[in-house]
């Protein structure tokens, strides 16, 4: 079997690394197509290096743009590669513009699409990610749902073909890199941090950072936090914080440490040792519950409701009073803290990558890995 793996952003590299490894363990060299949606060293190359991934076969250098520009350029460039290479399956992961472009370009060439992390729904169609997930799922032939809830979302939309609940590959990535991070990363001493004495924050979502009022409210929360706060800033957020004149407020706050986006090993180490995680990231909501760190999500909805149901994650939006109330409760009420920290991880056992590859190979051997005519 000749699989093509199409990706372009930080979370896709991290979450597809276990799938790539599982293919390599079977002696199969997947074709790696990087759209270049993320291109800064610290948003892309650092992960390829740290996760020891093989050479990329095609760098498409799509870069940034409007939603349509980015998706359209990616589709045009992916199509050219697929026409030449004719892979047996295209594998995409998640909900970025790269995923939509990869899925659409492939299915229209009658190349079956396998979607890793299928079936997530925030039920908020104002998010570009929600549109991407829905369309990618409907274009896909094989759907790897991380949880039963995700499978049920697909069923509700009438998608019943080749749906497998396999867990989320983020568990594989965390387990595969946790000890390495523990040994190699020096980030705590570099930032002068003590374990369990800081809050780790990330925020980069379009709906939070592109809107001046929302971003101001977010900065209000961060500047009021009662503990040392580390915020590795995504380039989109940095641009908007500067544009709206909010960057200086963060810089001036003595308890806030701003950093560039960090490599995976440093970031994992920061997550593991954080007292609390506050984020609007999808992957970080997952990692928090896997690592047993209470998570306050800076959003009003989530496509990871399993984390909330399990008790490890609370949606606080950008509501200052609510967010600070939960931060204080976590810092002062040990029983409440332990309850959140001991929430059960709903994303599986860390063997999702292996399962995905085994299922794809079995479908291939049975001649079932094709787009029905
Ligand atoms: C994208 C995904 C989002 C995901 C995030 C992961 C979509 C619609 N969104 O959002 O779901 O959570 O990736 O991090 O696909 N930029 C740089 N350097 C880079 C990359 C981006 O400076 O290497 C800046 C550019 O100004 C760019 C902006 O960040 O315009 C946004 O980048 P883009 O890839 O469009 O979306 P993300 O916000 O990264
Ligand atoms: N991450 C990282 N360095 C950072 C911030 C995040 O390595 O400075 C990792 C994090 O551990 C997680 C992934 O990037 O695995 C999440 O990516 P992001 O928040 O950009 O995207 P999302 O998951 O929201 O799509």
């Amino acid at each position: 079997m000749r699989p093509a793996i199409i990706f372009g952003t930080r979370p896709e590299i991290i979450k597809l690394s276990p799938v790539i490894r599982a293919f390599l363990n079977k002696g199969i060299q997947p074709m790696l197509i990087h759209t270049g949606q993320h291109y800064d060293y610290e948003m892309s190359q650092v992960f390829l290096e740290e996760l020891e991934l093989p050479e990329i076969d095609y760098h498409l250098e799509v870069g940034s743009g409007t939603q349509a520009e980015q998706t359209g350029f990616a589709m045009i460039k992916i199509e050219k590669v697929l026409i030449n290479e004719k892979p047996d399956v295209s594998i995409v992961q998640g909900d970025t513009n790269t995923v939509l472009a990869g899925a659409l370009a492939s299915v229209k060439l009658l190349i079956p699409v396998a979607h890793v992390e299928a079936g997530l729904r925030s039920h908020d169609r104002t998010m570009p990610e929600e549109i991407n997930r829905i369309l990618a799922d409907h274009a896909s032939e094989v759907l790897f749902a991380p949880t039963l809830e995700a499978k049920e979302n697909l069923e509700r939309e009438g998608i019943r073909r080749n749906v497998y609940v396999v867990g989320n590959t983020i568990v594989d990535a965390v387990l595969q890199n946790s000890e390495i991070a523990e040994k190699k990363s020096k980030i705590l001493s570099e930032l002068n941090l003590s374990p369990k004495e800081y809050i780790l924050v990330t925020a980069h979502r379009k709906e939070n950072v592109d809107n001046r009022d929302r971003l101001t409210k977010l900065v209000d929360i961060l500047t009021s936090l009662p503990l040392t706060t580390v915020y590795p800033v995504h380039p989109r957020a940095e641009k908007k914080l500067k544009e709206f004149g909010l960057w200086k407020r963060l810089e001036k706050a003595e308890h806030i440490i701003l950093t560039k986006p960090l490599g995976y090993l440093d970031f994992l180490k920061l997550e593991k040792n954080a007292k609390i995680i506050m984020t609007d990231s999808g992957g970080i909501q997952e990692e928090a519950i896997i690592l047993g760190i209470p998570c306050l999500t800076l959003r009003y909805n989530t496509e990871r409701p399993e984390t909330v149901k399990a008790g490890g994650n609370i949606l606080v939006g950008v509501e200052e009073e609510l967010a600070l109330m939960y931060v204080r409760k976590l810092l002062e009420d040990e029983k409440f803290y332990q309850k959140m920290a001991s929430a059960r991880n709903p994303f599986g056992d860390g063997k999702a990558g292996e399962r995905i590859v085994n299922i794809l190979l079995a479908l291939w051997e049975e001649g079932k890995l094709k787009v029905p005519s």
Side-chain angles (χ1 to χ4, degrees):
M1 183 172 73
R2 284 188 76 229
I5 302 192
I6 304 170
F7 55 92
T9 68
R10 166 167 82 184
E12 292 161 71
I13 300 172
I14 295 169
K15 289 179 167 177
L16 282 167
S17 66
V19 178
I20 297 170
R21 278 191 198 190
F23 271 121
L24 295 176
N25 288 341
K26 298 260 179 207
I28 295 170
Q29 190 92 33
M31 184 196 315
L32 301 184
I33 304 174
H34 190 319
T35 61
Q37 178 172 343
H38 284 175
Y39 43 85
D40 289 346
Y41 175 83
E42 59 267 19
M43 294 299 290
S44 171
Q45 185 64 26
V46 65
F47 302 103
L48 301 173
E49 289 169 12
E50 285 187 346
L51 299 168
E52 296 177 6
L53 296 180
E55 282 294 297
I56 300 295
D57 296 285
Y58 292 94
H59 280 284
L60 303 185
E61 296 179 1
V62 168
S64 306
T66 65
Q67 296 291 317
E69 281 166 355
Q70 198 172 51
T71 313
F73 285 145
M75 264 187 87
I76 292 168
K77 292 186 167 187
I78 292 168
E79 184 182 59
K80 287 201 171 84
V81 174
L82 297 177
I83 288 172
N84 281 333
E85 293 282 359
K86 299 184 181 60
D88 297 311
V89 60
S90 287
I91 301 169
V92 293
Q93 189 284 333
D95 53 22
T96 65
N97 289 342
T98 290
V99 173
L100 179 59
L104 284 185
S106 302
V107 73
K108 290 191 173 200
L109 292 170
L110 304 186
I111 297 167
V113 178
H115 189 198
V116 177
E117 206 179 68
L120 273 62
R121 295 290 181 270
S122 66
H123 306 289
D124 176 357
R125 283 185 179 239
T126 64
M127 294 173 68
E129 291 88 353
E130 184 75 352
I131 305 301
N132 290 343
R133 298 179 189 111
I134 294 171
L135 297 180
D137 282 339
H138 283 263
S140 292
E141 197 48 37
V142 190
L143 298 103
F144 294 112
T147 63
L148 200 57
E149 284 87 336
K151 182 182 180 200
E152 286 165 1
N153 286 335
L154 294 171
E155 276 170 4
R156 268 193 287 278
E157 291 175 22
I159 303 178
R160 293 191 171 78
R161 57 183 180 276
N162 297 320
V163 178
Y164 302 91
V165 177
V166 293
N168 195 311
T169 57
I170 194 68
V171 185
D172 314 26
V174 168
L175 297 182
Q176 286 166 14
N177 294 288
S178 201
E179 260 180 51
I180 307 174
E182 208 47 64
K183 281 193 202 127
K184 282 199 181 164
S185 170
K186 305 272 178 285
I187 193 74
L188 292 187
S189 53
E190 278 166 25
L191 298 180
N192 204 11
L193 294 166
S194 307
K196 301 295 161 191
E197 286 184 10
Y198 62 90
I199 298 172
L200 177 61
V201 172
T202 80
H204 72 279
R205 289 283 172 169
K206 188 172 185 292
E207 65 268 25
N208 273 339
V209 305
D210 284 14
N211 177 309
R212 184 190 290 268
D213 287 346
R214 283 274 282 263
L215 194 54
T216 305
K217 286 172 103 186
L218 191 83
V219 170
D220 290 343
I221 295 176
L222 301 190
T223 49
S224 307
L225 290 173
L227 199 66
T228 301
T229 297
V230 188
Y231 179 9
V233 190
H234 185 291
R236 177 185 209 114
E238 179 174 347
K239 197 166 122 194
K240 290 294 173 182
L241 283 162
K242 288 183 175 163
E243 188 182 318
F244 297 146
L246 295 163
W247 181 260
K248 286 220 164 71
R249 277 187 65 199
L250 292 178
E251 264 187 340
K252 272 194 210 144
E254 277 178 13
H255 67 287
I256 296 181
I257 302 170
L258 298 174
T259 76
K260 289 237 156 246
L262 298 171
Y264 194 49
L265 300 180
D266 282 343
F267 195 77
L268 252 185
K269 176 115 176 189
L270 275 186
E271 284 184 299
K272 286 175 78 174
N273 289 286
K275 182 78 178 171
I276 302 170
I277 291 177
M278 298 177 80
T279 190
D280 62 9
S281 156
I284 298 170
Q285 288 174 65
E286 294 160 352
E287 287 169 338
I289 200 165
I290 294 163
L291 296 166
I293 313 296
C295 183
L296 301 178
T297 291
L298 301 159
R299 289 176 48 189
Y300 294 88
N301 56 50
T302 178
E303 57 293 311
R304 277 95 174 162
E306 301 89 344
T307 58
V308 177
K309 214 164 112 194
N313 186 13
I314 297 173
L315 301 181
V316 296
V318 286
E319 303 301 322
E320 185 175 346
E321 227 174 278
L322 189 68
L324 290 181
M325 189 270 281
Y326 277 117
V327 168
R328 282 193 213 102
K329 201 165 160 59
L330 282 165
L331 296 179
E332 289 159 13
D333 182 343
E334 186 57 22
K335 228 169 132 187
F336 179 70
Y337 186 92
Q338 286 309 331
K339 201 164 167 236
M340 279 194 84
S342 56
R344 194 189 62 85
N345 156 33
F347 297 116
D349 57 2
K351 295 195 173 122
E354 222 177 288
R355 268 184 215 111
I356 287 167
V357 166
N358 286 338
I359 290 167
L360 287 175
L361 285 173
L363 287 172
W364 166 249
E365 275 156 22
E366 290 163 26
K368 290 184 186 154
L369 193 54
K370 55 183 183 207
V371 180
S373 52

